[in-house]
Amino acid sequence: MPPLFHGKRGLYVTRHLLARQLREIKGSGLAPFTTLGEWNRERPTGRRIAVTFDDAYESLFTNGLPVLEKLGVPAITYVVASLIGGSNEWDHGTQARHEHLMDRSQLAEWLRAGQEIGSHGLTHRDLTTLPPDEARREIVESKQRLEESFGQPIRHFCYPYGAWNDAVRAMVEEAGYATATSTISGINSATTDAFTIRRILARHQRPYLAALTRR
Ligand SMILES: [Zn+2]
């Protein structure tokens, strides 16, 4: 359950609401769900929907995965590579609640279930505030570590806090990623930059389809 009195309450989505939102999209005939990689490749030929979850919270594994599996919806979660099995340390000292992150075996099971992972950096720092060498390390080393740990290529990046600039964006492309997601709200066209992909936030109690179809 979402915490009742909490500044970030709107970011919590219950298992029931997630199922409702996904079923609503499926039932609308708006566009099929697809993996992020396929979504990116098929962007020029038609509308599709990719589902992303930042931070790889344990609650995504326990509450979200059963819903995704039941509805046959592929999704990607962005892992903070040095905090696997840890917690949202980057939020400590803020209003945010302490939350567990998926551990290695949960991530392995997530992958076995046909879901995907991407990189969310090493430590969830704002890359635009770091010296270039440190920002590059967050981008490059997180990719390497996840590839070594899980034995598969890591092709997708997500900017911590949605924070990027031209230099950071270029580092992500140079590191060999195929996409990077931002927190810019909106839908993407065939020509939207693959390294600043827009998203629509599935907020608690948000009229989801209305937001999705708005152009
Ligand atoms: Zn994050």
Side-chain angles (χ1 to χ4, degrees), residues 26-137:
K26 272 196 148 177
S28 73
L30 192 64
F33 287 108
T34 184
T35 63
L36 186 57
E38 202 174 285
W39 171 87
N40 192 41
R41 283 190 297 276
E42 295 180 356
R43 260 198 297 162
T45 60
R47 186 185 272 203
R48 285 171 185 76
I49 298 169
V51 178
T52 68
F53 294 92
D54 291 13
D55 307 325
Y57 285 106
E58 185 177 49
S59 60
L60 172 61
F61 181 79
T62 50
N63 296 312
L65 183 57
V67 172
L68 294 169
E69 290 203 280
K70 187 170 178 197
L71 298 180
V73 174
I76 185 167
T77 191
Y78 296 105
V79 179
V80 182
S82 75
L83 294 177
I84 291 170
S87 69
N88 54 336
E89 283 174 22
W90 63 89
D91 274 336
H92 294 178
T94 72
Q95 269 193 312
R97 215 164 63 156
H98 181 274
E99 299 283 358
H100 290 291
L101 304 175
M102 281 194 229
D103 64 23
R104 230 184 116 85
S105 68
Q106 289 167 330
L107 284 167
E109 205 172 322
W110 169 266
L111 290 170
R112 270 200 303 278
Q115 304 296 349
E116 293 188 305
I117 60 170
S119 167
H120 203 24
L122 280 175
T123 57
H124 206 288
R125 283 187 293 173
D126 177 344
L127 302 178
T128 65
T129 66
L130 296 180
D133 282 358
E134 271 184 68
R136 190 171 293 107
R137 188 171 158 252

Side-chain angles (χ1 to χ4, degrees), residues 13-23 63 67 71:
V13 170
T14 62
R15 179 195 289 237
H16 175 75
L17 180 59
L18 175 66
R20 208 178 78 193
Q21 289 170 332
L22 294 174
R23 277 205 192 92
N63 296 312
V67 172
L71 298 180

